[in-house]
Amino acid sequence: MISKRAVLRLPLALSLAAGLLGSALAQDKPLKIGVTAGPHAQIFEQVKKLADQQGLKLQIVEFSDYVQPNAALHAGDLDANSYQHKPYLDAQIKDRGYKFAVVANTVNFPIGLYSKKVKKLADLKEGARFGIPNDPTNGGRVLLLLQAQGLVKLKDGAGLKATPLDVVSNPKKLRFVELDAAQLPRSLDDLDASAINTNFAISAGLNPKSDAIVLEAADSPYVNLLVVREADKNKPWVAQLVKVYQSEEIRRFIDTQFKGSVLAGW
């Protein structure tokens, strides 16, 4: 005979069992992580292997531009993304109203200036065609680097949001060609020089440490981020994913694989 107390406990027991079953089922569905091709994808493949050993299943989704990973995260097609620095993220949030949260620093990619026609910036001829990323923050970042190298002078206060319209002094009369960041490596043959983000440079077979004629300082503020939706930031899988990414195993992989051209940002 079942006691009255036992009957009262039954709904609670069933509820707990359902919760445990739901948790187990959730673990069987991989978390989708958006990355750009190149180092971010390579690093997350290692994170995936390490996470799998700890029961956290990941699916890596590669993108070829900077816009879609945030759009996909916002739409719920991704659980997290790893590819952007804070100035770019801040601009995206401001422009598009995304409700995102930064949960960890990942890696830093010092941006480089490349050329197949000159060995140093001083050799650029008057009117040289110079490629820069067409997204608001990376374009400004490159112009600030060119200013630091003495090639241009920007309007006071232009800062990271600078565009070619903010150039007030351009002794070499450089002609800026604004392209999607992923297109810049493929356009290098048609340009006199170009700024190329390290992740895209490496994917194109360029070695930032040996091929760049100028490389941004390693202590630049453009550390990349692991980003999730605001509503998910306190979920247990987020803390577990951060712990795996920021492990010594992943730090060693970054140091060994990229030999100083990609830097751990934690």
Side-chain angles (χ1 to χ4, degrees):
M1 182 179 292
I2 301 176
S3 70
K4 183 176 181 180
R5 183 177 295 178
V7 170
L8 290 174
R9 287 180 184 154
L10 188 58
L12 177 60
L14 291 173
S15 176
L16 289 172
L20 291 172
L21 179 59
S23 176
L25 289 173
Q27 291 177 353
D28 288 337
K29 182 180 180 181
L31 298 166
K32 292 184 178 180
I33 313 297
V35 297
T36 45
H40 282 302
Q42 291 174 268
I43 293 167
F44 246 100
E45 288 297 338
Q46 297 302 311
V47 172
K48 178 181 177 181
K49 292 177 184 178
L50 192 59
D52 189 61
Q53 295 172 12
Q54 301 180 20
L56 186 67
K57 298 183 182 300
L58 306 179
Q59 178 183 341
I60 312 306
V61 183
E62 290 192 25
F63 293 84
S64 60
D65 65 31
Y66 285 159
V67 176
Q68 293 306 312
N70 277 337
L73 180 61
H74 173 71
D77 297 326
L78 298 174
D79 296 290
N81 67 40
S82 175
Y83 77 102
Q84 63 193 319
H85 53 60
K86 192 172 188 299
Y88 181 80
L89 174 64
D90 288 345
Q92 287 268 292
I93 289 174
K94 182 179 179 181
D95 292 345
R96 298 168 186 258
Y98 293 142
K99 302 297 183 184
F100 291 164
V102 174
V103 294
N105 289 350
T106 56
V107 289
N108 198 346
F109 297 89
I111 204 166
L113 308 182
Y114 298 82
S115 176
K116 293 187 177 181
K117 298 179 181 178
V118 299
K119 297 294 184 183
K120 53 184 184 295
L121 291 178
D123 294 337
L124 286 171
K125 295 179 180 179
E126 186 173 304
R129 299 176 75 238
F130 201 105
I132 66 173
N134 65 2
D135 61 272
T137 51
N138 281 308
R141 177 182 178 183
V142 171
L143 290 172
L144 288 171
L145 180 57
L146 290 174
Q147 179 172 254
Q149 294 294 316
L151 263 71
V152 302
K153 180 175 174 54
L154 300 174
K155 181 171 62 180
D156 289 344
L160 191 62
K161 295 183 179 180
T163 73
L165 296 176
D166 295 307
V167 175
V168 294
S169 176
N170 182 4
K172 285 185 175 288
K173 297 181 174 58
L174 299 177
R175 292 179 292 161
F176 295 107
V177 181
E178 297 179 89
L179 297 170
D180 184 86
Q183 299 296 323
L184 288 167
R186 294 191 284 273
S187 303
L188 191 56
D189 287 337
D190 301 320
L191 299 167
D192 295 290
S194 182
I196 302 176
N197 294 73
T198 292
N199 55 319
F200 292 127
I202 291 173
S203 295
L206 296 168
N207 184 321
K209 294 193 73 174
S210 60
D211 294 332
I213 56 177
V214 171
L215 193 61
E216 191 176 48
D219 61 354
S220 77
Y222 305 106
V223 63
N224 282 238
L225 308 166
L226 181 64
V227 178
V228 301
R229 286 181 294 278
E230 178 74 28
D232 292 338
K233 67 180 182 180
N234 294 320
K235 291 185 177 179
W237 66 261
V238 174
Q240 187 178 0
L241 180 60
V242 171
K243 186 175 181 180
V244 173
Y245 194 108
Q246 295 188 340
S247 65
E248 282 305 307
E249 291 93 331
I250 299 303
R251 182 189 292 274
R252 285 196 297 270
F253 172 78
I254 293 167
D255 291 344
T256 301
Q257 181 72 20
F258 303 110
K259 299 178 173 59
S261 60
V262 179
L263 309 171
W266 69 91

